[in-house]
Amino acid sequence: MSFAEVLLERKLLLIGSFVLTSGKVSPYYLDLRPLPNYPEFYDMVNQAIKKVKDIPHDIIVGIATGGVPLSSFMACNLREPMGYIRIEKKGHGTNRTLELDVKGKRVLLVDDVATTGVSIEKATLEILSGGGKVSDALVIIDRQEGASQRLEKLGVKLHSLFKISEILDELLKSDKLKDNEKKSILDYLVKNVEK
């Protein structure tokens, strides 16, 4: 079974009408937070490790909450240090967003999905303000809606295991979607997804 089919079967990719954080309405929604519940997650960890093996970094930092499981498994398998960052302050305790010391360290940021790149941008700026350096970020899926361009302006290269256009193209060619779902996805891709 392909990753596109896994996403659909495991209900990690939902088809319908969804309001995104950006306010856009999308005919599909990715929720990869449950992915660690499934055996396919281990394949993602192995793919991620291969993808970053030649990227210089001192520490892997997961963006809460979606990036924390993948960054944890990667760091454990690579025997490297790991931390995490919250995009929003929790409002109690130490009220920190960054749960590690990054001063003088090269940070590899990890998240589950990138759309416009705002979360990764915020995490990057927080790490920079803590004295760290970020030149690369990894996500499982790039929704291809501006994240790579946004991050490029900060000097951060976005790496992904999959691009949404590849996943959706495969599903559009299959019999897994209804005709009206295919049409709304195609329309959305034409208007919103960069190639």
Side-chain angles (χ1 to χ4, degrees):
M1 185 167 21
S2 72
F3 188 57
E5 293 170 322
V6 166
L7 290 173
L8 208 54
E9 187 175 299
R10 305 276 194 210
K11 296 186 177 19
L12 305 173
L13 170 63
L14 303 172
I15 307 298
S17 181
F18 304 92
V19 178
L20 304 176
T21 307
S22 63
K24 274 193 219 179
V25 177
S26 172
Y28 69 91
Y29 181 72
L30 289 162
D31 183 4
L32 301 186
R33 288 169 294 197
L35 184 57
N37 295 316
Y38 302 107
E40 292 84 4
F41 179 68
Y42 301 104
D43 296 332
M44 298 303 103
V45 172
N46 290 328
Q47 283 185 46
I49 288 169
K50 286 178 189 165
K51 194 90 168 177
V52 304
K53 70 179 170 62
D54 295 324
I55 296 174
H57 61 277
D58 301 312
I59 189 165
I60 298 173
V61 175
I63 299 175
T65 58
V68 173
L70 181 59
S71 60
S72 300
F73 275 77
M74 287 171 64
C76 186
N77 279 282
L78 291 167
R79 299 191 187 295
E80 294 181 359
M82 178 267 170
Y84 68 93
I85 185 169
R86 293 181 193 87
I87 298 307
E88 306 294 330
K89 291 184 178 185
K90 57 184 181 171
H92 59 277
T94 60
N95 211 28
R96 290 187 303 228
T97 55
L98 195 54
E99 295 293 346
L100 69 152
D101 178 17
V102 294
K103 190 169 184 164
K105 294 181 181 158
R106 295 170 300 177
V107 172
L108 172 63
L109 275 173
V110 175
D111 207 354
D112 56 352
V113 177
T115 303
T116 60
V118 171
S119 296
I120 298 172
E121 178 185 55
K122 285 179 180 178
T124 298
L125 295 174
E126 190 70 25
I127 288 164
L128 293 174
S129 72
K133 300 176 190 105
V134 180
S135 58
D136 296 273
L138 172 75
V139 295
I140 297 173
I141 299 175
D142 179 1
R143 279 185 59 120
Q144 298 173 272
E145 294 186 41
S148 57
Q149 290 88 343
R150 178 186 294 272
L151 297 174
E152 202 172 274
K153 292 176 187 170
L154 292 171
V156 177
K157 180 174 175 148
L158 181 63
H159 306 267
S160 62
L161 302 183
F162 299 93
K163 297 204 178 303
I164 195 63
S165 58
E166 300 161 348
I167 290 169
L168 293 176
D169 283 347
E170 183 180 326
L171 292 176
L172 290 168
K173 291 173 187 167
S174 76
D175 61 354
K176 305 280 183 196
L177 301 176
K178 297 175 189 157
D179 286 343
N180 63 325
E181 293 171 333
K182 288 181 179 182
K183 183 181 180 336
S184 62
I185 288 171
L186 275 170
D187 290 346
Y188 186 84
L189 287 173
V190 167
K191 293 177 190 159
N192 295 284
V193 174
E194 67 221 6
K195 292 295 174 191

